[in-house]
Amino acid sequence: VQDPQNLGAILRSSYFLGVDHVALTKSNSAPPTPAVSRVSCGALELLAAEKRLHVIKGSTAEFIAGLNERGWATFATHLGQDAQGPEVLTRRGCAALVLGNEETGVREHVVNACTGNVAISKGRAAIAPSRAASQVDSLNV
């Protein structure tokens, strides 16, 4: 996630929802700046103080492979045909959700490293199918 406001919102939501750990890539994520802190409403500092905020130093795909080897289920947010609903995350012991950047999403080699894909169904298309609804295919990030 490259936009500081988006990263701050994700950290705030993650902390609120009880996510145990957040890992950021060293080269492709927005750094933890005062702007991220402001939007996170303190979640950035809480996650860091509780040692729940981590920076991936090597390859993201290798990091995910390591999680897979330790028995984690890893899911890319990806609109593939095999994508499952987000409820699959609550049926797992240890699960990691991999978010891509705002422009291109999760890189293909990272998607391939994950054990599955997860997507949120489009409510707008189900309510009132229209051309406009089909043009918006994802949430921010």
Side-chain angles (χ1 to χ4, degrees), residues 5-59:
Q5 283 74 26
N6 289 342
L7 178 57
I10 287 169
L11 294 175
R12 183 178 68 239
S13 296
S14 296
Y15 193 84
F16 178 83
L17 294 170
V19 168
D20 291 323
H21 296 274
V22 175
L24 305 173
T25 60
K26 186 173 186 169
S27 59
N28 295 317
S29 296
T33 63
V36 173
S37 177
R38 263 191 315 278
V39 176
S40 80
C41 297
L44 170 65
E45 291 76 14
L46 290 167
L47 288 164
E50 296 171 9
K51 302 200 182 315
R52 295 172 179 237
L53 184 64
H54 313 279
V55 177
I56 300 170
K57 293 179 175 54
S59 152

